[in-house]
Amino acid sequence: MLQGKTALVTGSTSGIGLAIARALAKQGANVVLNGFGDAQEIARTRAAIEAEFSVRAWYSPADMMKPDEVTALVQETEERFGAVDILVNNAGIQHVAPVEAFPPDKWDALLAVNLSAPFHAIRAAVPGMKARGWGRIINTASAHSRVASPFKSAYVAAKHGLAGLTKAVALELAPHGVTVNCISPGYVWTPLVEQQIPDTMKARGLSRDEVIRDVLLAAQPTKAFVTVDQVAALAVFLCSDAASQITGANLAMDGGWTAQ
Ligand code: NAD
């Protein structure tokens, strides 16, 4: 379905981003991986994608906290592959703390990665998409783009902002064959979720099991984590012709969380 297209997926060395990159490669797209992690493991992941799906895969360690590196990543992808046809703004970080104790440098970092990086990447990728008359921009938002939880002021602010950015850019690009949407998962079992358990235990004075049952899955009526493959399948659908009239949407995949 996506033969000849190139997908740039930020934050794709693990979790949701890696699942999206692999799913797009399975459909024939060349993929650009990005994010941090063990160099040998990333090299193995990249090689496995090329071998398994007969596509080209390249990895860039560009830091999404740095606007110049975000822009350069888009430009380098265009130089190497000829285009960024599909842009998935997925890199994200989390910090959990009461607002009065929230470290300002964590606020700045979180907004830079989760909200400003998508802006810089979109800004750099849009001219090429407009010129070709086709593009797909998918932003990994969150249930926290629709509702809030305590102790996540920066994350909730950034994800609400990302949903707004999605809508504004969707309107601008609607006449150009470019769709812009966000996917808003509830809790997906990834390292990002696992890593916030200790901070939440501390902030709320709970055990690990209590955090999983009473905090993480408390809001998710299905009482099950979303899987990374389910999120990836929605991203693939958004890249299909069947989804050409879906734009500016904030698509919930949250086990019913935001229906409450
Ligand atoms: P993850 O920690 O497994 O993956 C995050 C990815 O972002 C990694 O590849 C990491 O290296 C990369 N990254 C972090 N900082 C970066 C930076 N400065 N520059 C480049 N790459 C950077 O987490 P995940 O759960 O797969 O999260 C992916 C996205 O999904 C995030 O935007 C997150 O907010 C969102 N999300 C996650 C969940 C969940 O429950 N896991 C729910 C809703 C939304």
Side-chain angles (χ1 to χ4, degrees):
M1 179 178 96
L2 297 174
Q3 268 88 5
K5 303 273 195 242
T6 296
L8 165 56
V9 187
T10 72
S12 48
T13 51
S14 94
I16 294 169
L18 178 56
I20 292 176
R22 286 181 53 83
L24 294 175
K26 192 175 181 187
Q27 296 299 319
N30 295 320
V31 291
V32 174
L33 302 175
N34 159 257
F36 304 141
D38 176 71
Q40 284 185 349
E41 197 182 319
I42 293 170
R44 274 196 300 274
T45 301
R46 193 198 64 77
I49 289 175
E50 288 198 334
E52 219 173 309
F53 305 119
S54 302
V55 298
R56 287 168 64 203
W58 176 62
Y59 162 71
S60 162
D63 184 348
M64 295 300 102
M65 211 170 308
K66 300 182 178 151
D68 291 353
E69 294 194 22
V70 179
T71 303
L73 173 60
V74 172
Q75 288 166 348
E76 196 169 349
T77 302
E78 287 177 336
E79 281 159 22
R80 285 172 178 263
F81 292 89
V84 175
D85 301 294
I86 298 163
L87 169 64
V88 183
N89 289 303
N90 172 79
I93 54 175
Q94 175 64 284
H95 189 78
V96 180
V99 68
E100 68 274 24
F102 211 96
D105 61 325
K106 296 280 188 202
W107 171 276
D108 288 343
L110 206 146
L111 270 282
V113 175
N114 294 22
L115 180 57
S116 296
F119 159 71
H120 293 294
I122 289 169
R123 185 173 179 276
V126 157
M129 289 181 176
K130 270 179 153 177
R132 288 184 296 276
W134 195 92
R136 293 287 188 266
I137 298 173
I138 299 169
N139 299 318
T140 308
S142 163
H144 285 119
S145 75
R146 306 158 69 90
V147 295
S149 298
F151 312 120
K152 295 185 177 177
S153 53
Y155 190 83
V156 171
K159 294 297 188 182
H160 274 66
L162 186 58
L165 175 68
T166 301
K167 290 199 276 189
V169 180
L171 294 181
E172 291 182 37
L173 298 182
H176 299 282
V178 181
T179 69
V180 190
N181 294 290
C182 50
I183 299 178
S184 286
Y187 279 102
V188 188
W189 189 252
T190 67
L192 187 132
V193 167
E194 205 168 356
Q195 280 157 21
Q196 66 187 272
I197 290 175
D199 284 346
T200 309
M201 287 165 67
K202 217 184 323 167
R204 298 195 182 216
L206 299 173
S207 71
R208 184 184 163 83
D209 284 351
E210 285 168 338
V211 168
I212 291 176
R213 189 192 61 228
D214 300 337
V215 181
L216 301 184
L217 293 180
Q220 214 145 289
T222 55
K223 296 296 171 206
F225 285 100
V226 178
T227 71
V228 293
D229 291 333
Q230 290 172 330
V231 179
L234 182 52
V236 168
F237 178 70
L238 286 173
C239 293
S240 71
D241 289 339
S244 68
Q245 293 303 315
I246 301 178
T247 196
N250 185 349
L251 300 163
M253 186 180 276
D254 61 11
W257 175 352
T258 56
Q260 296 172 101

